[in-house]
Amino acid sequence: MKHSFDYALAFSRNIGWFTEDEQAILRTKRIAIAGMGGVGGSHLLTLVRVGITKFNLSDFDEFACENTNRQAGANTFTYEKKKLDVMIEMAKAINPEVEINIFPDGINNENTDEFLKDVDCYVDSLDFFALEARKEVFKLCAEKEIPATTAAPIGMGTAYLNFLPGKMTFEEYFRLDGYTENEQYLRFFLGLTPAALQQAYLVDPTKLDLGNKKGPSTMMGCQLASGVAGTQVVKILLNRGKVLNVPWGLHFDAYTNRFKKTWRPGGNRNVIQRLAFSIGKKKLLNQLPRQPEKEIKPLSLIEKILDYARWAPSGDNVQAWQFEIVNDTSFIIHGTDTREHCVYDLDGHSSHLAHGILLETISISASQFGCAIETENDFNNPQHIKIMVNLIEDNSIQTSELLPFVKVRAVQRRAMGTRALSDSEKTALKNALPDGYNLIWFESFDDRLKLAKLNFCNAKTRLTMKEAYHTHKNIIDWHQQFSETKIPEKALGVDWATARLMEWLFKDWNRINFANKYFAGTVMPRIQLDFIPSLKSCAHFAIQAENEATSIEDYINAGRAIQKFWLTTAKLGLGFQPEQTPVIFSKYLRQGIQFTSDEAVIKNANKGKAMFDDLMPHTEKTLFLGRLGRSQLPTSRSTRKPLAELIINT
Ligand SMILES: Cc1cc2nc3c(=O)[nH]c(=O)nc-3n(C[C@H](O)[C@H](O)[C@H](O)COP(=O)(O)O)c2cc1C
């Protein structure tokens, strides 16, 4: 049967939630929507499907590729087409009876009156930064007694406010007048999202760039916002259900699973809002004055590869490497070690493992450009090794499936889920290791308890040893969520009180010594950092070499194998924490490397070594010890030095 458009049939499935009479009322109503971009397009399509047939629409812009992620009308066929034309076509394709008054120059002082003519409800979807136009429209809505609703896409949720006739107005709520342009943006944002549910998951705050009037957005936010705006409009138009006016606000965030109703009497004059404003202003000032967009010099092939590879992990995030670019296809890795100041690296091999991890990451990164790598080693000076890397174009090279995990992978130091690894996960992890390496698992509760005791004992060695004090003091970035050169406090896995205790203790070795002697000062950190996480994991593992590693090359190769394994855990969605210090101390004791002058510490380290030897055969072959668990990505992590700092000219 051939269908033709029939209003009653088209919207018949609305009936039930609306009565037929209500549907008929909706058919007669006129809605004004300013802006057909991020959220306006979705608002329009939602309201057309509600059965609204009359619209006043404005937009002066054209669709472009960068609108793809969120704008309902943006696709490869609509680039460079007027947003207004495209959206009208889409609306008419849904309901050929829609009647639209168009405002193709956008909203301005001259046409706002006309734009709101005969309008029953105004739906705000102007660009976030179009504050002057927004103020003007809301002011006129209040004068003309037109109800107005604003549902903003915020992260992966929506925050929404209504402005009904005779109630608190836009200006009374936001109080923008008298502030600078940037302050007004901040006040608008704070008023829009008093609950700030999105704050917890903005993974790259640099993308929120008030200075350049840019911010990140998602389609989910837009769709949720349209669902909400559509509902507010229907309630307003049908005079049904309670519609909240500001200073009430609502915020639903699908990401954090939260819904919050806020009440800010006085709007932005409210004391909570004032506080948020003064805190926000400090952050905002960092972005002022408005920056012209920096001209970004395109990266060369080697720079592109290194920009990825710099995300390789290294002990304590020291990134003991720099790169010397020789020509278009060759560069030298200068790898140093930290033996002079780090007790965990007295023979340089921890650094060499990291250099191997870096090399593997370079190889993975090069694969995306169809390149293999060939290397020439110069290990004459073990404290400053040089590896010449030559890029070889090779059509048979496919992008490594581990590439997307290079930047995502991060250490999880907190307690993790304990659901056992499946056979297929274990097989994938075993297969990740090249020939010459074996994997030993410690999965049962008994085994994990043994590891927990080993790590607890080993942590005492670490924390009571004066030789490790400077390392610990220097590697933690207190109070931080992210850190370019250290480990941020929030990635440590201790609660706030323990972090404060540690911060206080680490200020002075005598404090640690005193606390250890009289108050068992390291017990709390050791329980939180070592004992509990060891139990709260699904397995511990040891990577062993078939032949004991002795040379720098052995450690570099082992590093390459470890990175394949580590990235595979990330691909499987598993949390990962290295537990290297028991391996390091037992090696020192086995090889007679003097790592402390404190007899009590040596005694404790020997106790740890005995526990370690008891756990597995051939501990001397162990290259890497760690734990895995069911875990989400950590919200706090180490980041990396910028590429420019890592490239040297010699
Ligand atoms: C050779 C090596 C040894 C490491 N040993 C430990 C360790 O014993 N305990 C730990 O929590 N993290 C350890 N790490 C993890 C680093 O601290 C971490 O990779 C670095 O801070 C960068 O952070 P990210 O991996 O989260 O990006 C080790 C990393 C490497 C490469």
Side-chain angles (χ1 to χ4, degrees):
M1 192 183 86
K2 196 168 178 306
H3 282 271
S4 56
F5 181 80
D6 171 66
Y7 184 92
L9 187 59
F11 301 104
S12 57
R13 296 294 285 270
N14 285 341
I15 308 305
W17 299 116
F18 322 140
T19 66
E20 281 173 13
D21 291 338
E22 285 173 333
Q23 185 70 63
I25 295 171
L26 292 173
R27 189 176 184 176
T28 63
K29 298 292 183 183
R30 180 172 294 278
I31 307 294
I33 309 176
M36 288 288 102
V39 80
S42 296
H43 285 344
L44 173 68
L45 298 184
T46 302
L47 292 169
V48 170
R49 290 197 192 275
V50 162
I52 309 262
T53 54
K54 296 179 186 159
F55 294 93
N56 290 358
L57 306 179
S58 77
D59 203 303
F60 58 83
D61 206 5
E62 290 169 358
F63 282 117
C65 182
E66 64 266 27
N67 303 144
T68 308
N69 79 316
R70 68 200 183 283
Q71 303 201 5
N75 62 55
T76 50
F77 297 113
T78 60
Y79 294 167
E80 291 169 33
K81 288 192 180 164
K82 286 268 181 200
K83 292 183 179 178
L84 200 52
D85 296 346
V86 171
M87 292 318 301
I88 290 172
E89 209 179 306
M90 287 174 81
K92 288 204 160 153
I94 297 168
N95 178 355
E97 292 173 5
V98 288
E99 265 177 61
I100 299 176
N101 297 328
I102 59 166
F103 295 80
D105 299 325
I107 303 292
N108 50 49
N109 283 348
E110 273 97 70
N111 65 11
T112 315
D113 203 37
E114 185 65 20
F115 178 67
L116 293 176
K117 195 165 164 227
D118 299 330
V119 160
D120 297 292
C121 186
Y122 168 65
V123 181
D124 181 30
S125 50
L126 283 165
D127 186 274
F128 177 86
F129 296 97
L131 269 190
E132 285 312 311
R134 180 172 274 112
K135 281 195 269 185
E136 183 62 26
V137 185
F138 274 99
K139 189 167 154 237
L140 219 60
C141 282
E143 278 171 30
K144 289 174 172 275
E145 304 212 324
I146 297 171
T149 185
T150 180
I154 307 282
M156 291 176 239
T158 180
Y160 44 108
L161 305 169
N162 294 310
F163 300 87
L164 301 176
K167 301 209 167 161
M168 189 181 217
T169 64
F170 182 90
E171 180 48 32
E172 283 164 353
Y173 179 75
F174 284 106
R175 302 205 171 257
L176 303 178
D177 286 349
Y179 290 90
T180 65
E181 190 187 358
N182 280 297
E183 286 172 349
Q184 289 194 29
Y185 294 142
L186 177 64
R187 290 179 77 75
F188 180 57
F189 189 71
L190 293 173
L192 206 54
T193 65
L197 299 181
Q198 76 287 351
Q199 247 174 13
Y201 60 95
L202 182 65
V203 288
D204 183 354
T206 63
K207 299 289 178 219
L208 193 64
D209 184 358
L210 286 192
N212 288 310
K213 300 191 173 184
K214 265 186 177 177
S217 57
T218 71
M219 189 64 194
M220 293 78 87
C222 292
Q223 302 271 42
L224 287 166
S226 301
V228 166
T231 309
Q232 306 302 307
V233 169
V234 164
K235 286 168 71 177
I236 290 168
L237 295 182
L238 299 178
N239 203 7
R240 258 181 60 171
K242 189 168 179 175
V243 179
L244 296 174
N245 199 83
V246 293
W248 289 99
L250 296 162
H251 191 159
F252 169 64
D253 189 88
Y255 183 93
T256 53
N257 308 318
R258 292 177 68 197
F259 174 74
K260 213 158 171 187
K261 196 168 171 185
T262 48
W263 185 55
R264 295 288 186 271
N268 273 338
R269 225 166 34 183
N270 187 285
V271 62
I272 303 174
Q273 294 299 105
R274 281 196 217 180
L275 193 66
F277 180 63
S278 66
I279 296 170
K281 224 168 97 171
K282 282 194 189 129
K283 287 190 186 167
L284 180 81
L285 285 178
N286 295 337
Q287 299 188 357
L288 297 178
R290 205 154 105 202
Q291 298 291 327
E293 291 241 4
K294 269 194 212 138
E295 240 190 71
I296 300 165
K297 198 174 132 240
L299 296 181
S300 68
L301 174 66
I302 290 181
E303 286 168 334
K304 281 183 196 160
I305 291 172
L306 294 177
D307 200 29
Y308 241 87
R310 72 192 169 92
W311 285 88
S314 51
D316 296 339
N317 200 25
V318 291
Q319 305 157 70
W321 46 62
Q322 285 188 306
F323 309 107
E324 178 191 344
I325 297 180
V326 177
N327 57 38
D328 288 351
T329 54
S330 307
F331 61 94
I332 300 170
I333 303 172
H334 291 267
T336 48
D337 70 37
T338 54
R339 71 182 75 193
E340 307 293 351
H341 55 88
C342 179
V343 71
Y344 306 122
D345 195 24
L346 293 182
D347 52 11
H349 290 327
S350 287
S351 291
H352 299 143
L353 281 182
H355 297 142
I357 291 178
L358 171 70
L359 199 56
E360 183 58 32
T361 318
I362 289 173
S363 164
I364 291 170
S365 177
S367 73
Q368 65 185 305
F369 304 104
C371 290
I373 61 165
E374 271 179 13
T375 56
E376 293 160 44
N377 300 332
D378 171 356
F379 296 156
N380 289 329
N381 177 359
Q383 288 186 252
H384 180 166
I385 62 165
K386 294 178 195 165
I387 304 175
M388 165 79 97
V389 179
N390 298 310
L391 300 174
I392 314 291
E393 255 188 68
D394 180 345
N395 291 340
S396 68
I397 298 273
Q398 306 232 316
T399 301
S400 165
E401 55 184 19
L402 297 177
L403 181 77
F405 303 96
V406 166
K407 289 188 191 173
V408 168
R409 182 219 51 77
V411 173
Q412 176 55 281
R413 295 186 179 83
R414 293 180 184 271
M416 296 190 266
T418 56
R419 182 163 51 82
L421 294 174
S422 68
D423 287 344
S424 69
E425 285 171 328
K426 280 162 68 178
T427 308
L429 290 168
K430 188 174 176 344
N431 292 342
L433 287 177
D435 288 346
Y437 298 93
N438 295 322
L439 197 52
I440 305 178
W441 291 112
F442 304 93
E443 293 181 277
S444 66
F445 182 78
D446 273 3
D447 274 355
R448 283 182 284 137
L449 187 60
K450 280 186 193 160
L451 255 310
K453 286 180 182 167
L454 166 63
N455 283 327
F456 188 70
C457 165
N458 183 72
K460 187 170 176 191
T461 307
R462 282 192 284 125
L463 295 175
T464 58
M465 189 198 320
K466 192 166 183 195
E467 288 79 358
Y469 165 67
H470 282 286
T471 303
H472 295 160
K473 186 177 153 88
N474 292 331
I475 60 159
I476 302 170
D477 225 345
W478 296 110
H479 308 277
Q480 297 305 315
Q481 189 180 359
F482 301 101
S483 174
E484 259 182 22
T485 51
K486 300 182 182 189
I487 300 178
E489 173 188 313
K490 300 206 165 62
L492 283 182
V494 290
D495 62 32
W496 182 86
T498 308
R500 297 291 66 77
L501 171 70
M502 287 171 68
E503 186 182 12
W504 183 80
L505 287 176
F506 281 144
K507 286 221 163 88
D508 184 343
W509 168 249
N510 291 325
R511 289 182 188 176
I512 301 188
N513 212 10
F514 182 78
N516 281 338
K517 260 195 196 137
Y518 301 107
F519 300 105
T522 61
V523 169
M524 216 38 222
R526 282 159 64 206
I527 290 176
Q528 285 190 36
L529 285 168
D530 296 87
F531 192 80
I532 294 175
S534 294
L535 283 180
K536 297 282 279 174
S537 49
C538 51
H540 295 250
F541 64 88
I543 297 175
Q544 289 196 336
E546 278 171 13
N547 302 310
E548 184 183 345
T550 50
S551 65
I552 295 178
E553 193 160 13
D554 290 342
Y555 279 94
I556 301 257
N557 287 336
R560 295 193 69 164
I562 289 163
Q563 178 67 333
K564 283 189 188 135
F565 178 88
W566 200 338
L567 291 173
T568 306
T569 64
K571 186 171 169 224
L572 294 171
L574 294 165
F576 181 115
Q577 183 184 14
E579 300 167 316
Q580 272 304 79
T581 51
V583 182
I584 293 166
F585 289 134
S586 70
K587 183 176 64 175
Y588 288 168
L589 290 170
R590 210 170 41 246
Q591 297 180 347
I593 297 176
Q594 176 78 27
F595 62 96
T596 176
S597 53
D598 188 329
E599 284 305 318
V601 172
I602 294 183
K603 198 167 158 216
N604 190 64
N606 269 309
K607 194 172 138 199
K609 180 178 180 300
M611 291 162 96
F612 189 40
D613 289 339
D614 195 38
L615 258 174
M616 71 180 90
H618 302 297
T619 44
E620 75 284 359
K621 292 184 178 173
T622 304
L623 289 160
F624 209 78
L625 188 69
R627 67 184 184 107
L628 301 176
R630 307 286 166 190
S631 159
Q632 294 167 351
L633 288 172
T635 48
S636 163
R637 65 162 301 172
S638 299
T639 56
R640 298 295 185 269
K641 292 177 194 168
L643 182 64
E645 256 178 52
L646 296 172
I647 294 186
I648 48 164
N649 296 313
T650 55

